[in-house]
Amino acid sequence: MSFLSHATNRIESVLASIRQLEGAEFPYKDSQDALHTIRELFERQLNDLMEQDENSSQEVVKEKCAFSLKNLFCCLPLLGFILRSTNVRNAFEVFGPLRDIARAVLEPEVLVSKRTTKLLLSSEWGYSPVTYPEISDLPGFVLIGLPAPESSNPLLIPLSGHELGHSVWAKRGLAQQFRTDIQKKILEYIKAHWTDYHTLFPNVSKPVDLDTILFARQTWLRALRWALEQAEESFCDFIGIKLYGASYLRAFAYLLSPNVSSPRSASYPDSMARVRNLVKAAKEYKFDPPPDYEDMFRDRPAQSLRPEDRFRLSAADDALEKIVDGLISKAGELVSLSGVSKPDTNEIKRIYERYRLVVPAEKCLTLADILSAAWEAYEDQELWSSVPNMTTDKNRILRDLVLKNIEIFHGEHILQNAQ
Amino acid sequence: MNLKADEILLYLEEGHKSGTKDPLVITPYPDLNKLKDSGLAAIDLRLGTWFVTLRPARMPYIGIGDSGIQSQLSKTHYVPFGGAYYLHPRTFVLGITLQWLRLPKNLTAFVIGKSSWGRRGLIIATATGVHPGFMGCLTLELTNVGEIPIEIKPGMEICQIFIQEVHETGAACVESQFGGARKPMFGEVRLDDIAKKLGGGKLGQI
């Protein structure tokens, strides 16, 4: 039974690695808890495998070994993510305020003191914020990772709203909620472009078969999947905008403008469509988008797709365009329900005035106000020009100033709750 | 002359008025009521959340002009509110004030430890001067010269700052290599022109 011994050895190795990781300096208990949960998962699997013997069914043992291997594939990147959550390049100051927001958005119906959502705030060696939204082995955890070189840049924190959006999407079962509508729009698109469709899929003879015959359904299921993925990504953008206002748009542009030169992914809206939707949502939520925002972007090169997939992608893009208003209002509704206040223009101005003096502001009301003021300061070319010796290292000082401000904001929040 | 608490208070209140161009700021704001009635001539500062320790095994010695000291010779630690750092006997760590300071052109300051800590063996600060125009958190040099490990916690009162008025000439403020930072910094030790001319620091070179 060499495959069984291979499987047990593999798990023992990962458990040894976990024990080593447990010796890391964890700034917050949430990361330790995540590691502990994963360790227990592998310990259970190891025990299960150890109980197999020569009398066990070979097929059952193989299945158990295969399952444990699948878990290794799933959990190993997660262990790296947890380890990186201890790295001091991260802006640990934002942990508390971000977890408060995550708890409010994911558990609005629960008393503040009873909320339990945990946060893994980490960094990724990939140039895009990352989340692992549906980790069944880590229930109740939100995972947010910013690109490692930018993980201490508070200007990019608004993008965490997008990653939080994935958790909201999963927790609220929004894929199910939007699926019917999206499917309807895709079928409408096909019917409206029947000649093109029929040329590509001649075996489907009439529109009425689209939703009734299995092989006909299979012709558009991929379009449905792409449209659902695009809907989720768009919804996540809208959560970010509703939480952080125009600073989300600015952070998005910092990270992704003018575009990534590789071909677009079908899981995301086309670059320019996405940007137009960002602007639309911002206006819907009564935020002013940055001036000439759309001009900062351009489309990504088209994917090299077979004609059938090109048609499916067009159907998915069209379906997204038709349901985008519903996504904007759903994201707005869920953030409003959470009680997280939207950024306030007067507060942003007040904080920005403090930044002009190179000091943090006290008694801030929201993280979004602080980050919006930070963007105002970052984009102010004249900032600190009258302060001796401060312009040469402006970006580094601004980062530290804003993170100190966030720490003060969090400390004030702790003191308020302690009263 | 040292400012007394009520004078510091006036400066701080003035600094919070909008339109003030060159204010004294200490934030998070100290307890003004405590300050007002204290009769003290100093403000207590609190310990921040970042620490930097040396990793002696990484380099043979600290040389003059070693610009890589912060990344190669040191390790950064973060201790959140509620956490603790244990300073063992004869160990040295850089800490940072929780407060962010801003001194106007006409004020200077010096930082010293608190006697209650000193009597337990904790020496807080050795480079105590804070020049006019400084902005940022203050790096603290913490050493336990006692025999017993000491627990320190972010948020606790760790040192005190005395503030003095200086005659304001309108000259530019000194550029501090430690300014505008939220984490402890080593800074650089460099030879100035005179030291270079005297032999570049090489013993016996004529």
Side-chain angles (χ1 to χ4, degrees), chain A residues 25 27-28 88 90-93 152 354 357-360 362 387-390 392 396-397 399-401 403-404 407-408 410-411 414, chain B residues 15-16 20-21 23 25-29 49-50 75-78 80-81 97-98 100 102 135 137 173-175 179-183:
Chain A
E25 263 183 49
Y28 291 103
V88 291
N90 297 327
F92 293 130
E93 290 91 342
S152 66
R354 298 304 281 173
L357 295 169
V358 206
V359 292
E362 290 166 325
V387 183
N389 313 315
M390 291 298 280
T392 47
R396 198 266 305 161
I397 293 172
R399 285 180 185 201
D400 273 12
L401 175 61
L403 288 171
K404 175 51 74 174
E407 185 176 65
I408 291 170
H410 181 51
I414 294 172
Chain B
H16 264 68
T20 310
K21 292 216 165 20
V25 175
I26 299 174
T27 181
Y29 221 35
T49 48
W50 291 98
K75 182 169 165 55
T76 303
H77 309 263
Y78 177 79
F81 295 127
T97 58
L98 177 65
W100 181 284
R102 182 194 194 284
M135 299 163 198
C137 298
C173 292
V174 175
E175 182 178 7
R182 77 187 209 284
K183 290 183 180 179

Side-chain angles (χ1 to χ4, degrees), chain B:
Chain B
M1 190 164 59
N2 280 351
L3 298 182
K4 279 199 69 179
D6 51 349
E7 293 172 296
I8 297 172
L9 194 57
L10 284 177
Y11 266 106
L12 289 173
E13 285 173 344
E14 187 66 24
H16 264 68
K17 288 180 187 164
S18 65
T20 310
K21 292 216 165 20
D22 190 19
L24 168 68
V25 175
I26 299 174
T27 181
Y29 221 35
D31 183 343
L32 295 182
N33 289 330
K34 186 178 160 190
L35 196 64
K36 196 173 184 179
D37 303 326
S38 66
L40 294 170
I43 292 181
D44 287 338
L45 297 180
R46 297 177 187 279
L47 184 63
T49 48
W50 291 98
F51 298 87
V52 173
T53 53
L54 291 169
R55 292 195 285 195
R58 295 293 301 274
M59 286 171 88
Y61 61 93
I62 300 174
I64 297 165
D66 280 341
S67 56
I69 185 170
Q70 188 91 24
S71 58
Q72 292 172 38
L73 190 57
S74 68
K75 182 169 165 55
T76 303
H77 309 263
Y78 177 79
V79 180
F81 295 127
Y85 189 94
Y86 300 98
L87 193 59
H88 286 259
R90 283 164 295 287
T91 54
F92 172 71
V93 61
L94 295 183
I96 191 100
T97 58
L98 177 65
Q99 282 95 343
W100 181 284
L101 278 78
R102 182 194 194 284
L103 292 187
K105 280 182 185 175
N106 65 330
L107 293 181
T108 186
F110 59 95
V111 178
I112 62 169
K114 289 176 71 72
S115 57
S116 46
W117 277 122
R119 288 164 199 164
R120 286 161 174 78
L122 179 60
I123 305 301
I124 307 287
T126 50
T128 60
V130 188
H131 295 282
F134 176 86
M135 299 163 198
C137 298
L138 292 169
T139 295
L140 304 171
E141 301 103 29
L142 308 173
T143 308
N144 180 357
V145 297
E147 302 296 324
I148 301 170
I150 295 172
E151 179 188 44
I152 50 178
K153 302 185 91 165
M156 64 188 285
E157 292 174 342
I158 192 82
C159 61
Q160 50 193 332
I161 185 167
F162 289 83
I163 299 174
Q164 299 174 324
E165 283 182 338
V166 292
H167 181 58
E168 209 262 286
T169 62
C173 292
V174 175
E175 182 178 7
S176 167
Q177 56 179 318
F178 307 110
R182 77 187 209 284
K183 290 183 180 179
M185 295 174 81
F186 277 103
E188 287 182 31
V189 178
R190 301 187 203 98
L191 293 180
D192 69 354
D193 286 346
I194 292 175
K196 282 177 188 165
K197 284 172 190 164
L198 286 172
K202 288 176 185 157
L203 198 63
Q205 190 175 65
I206 299 172

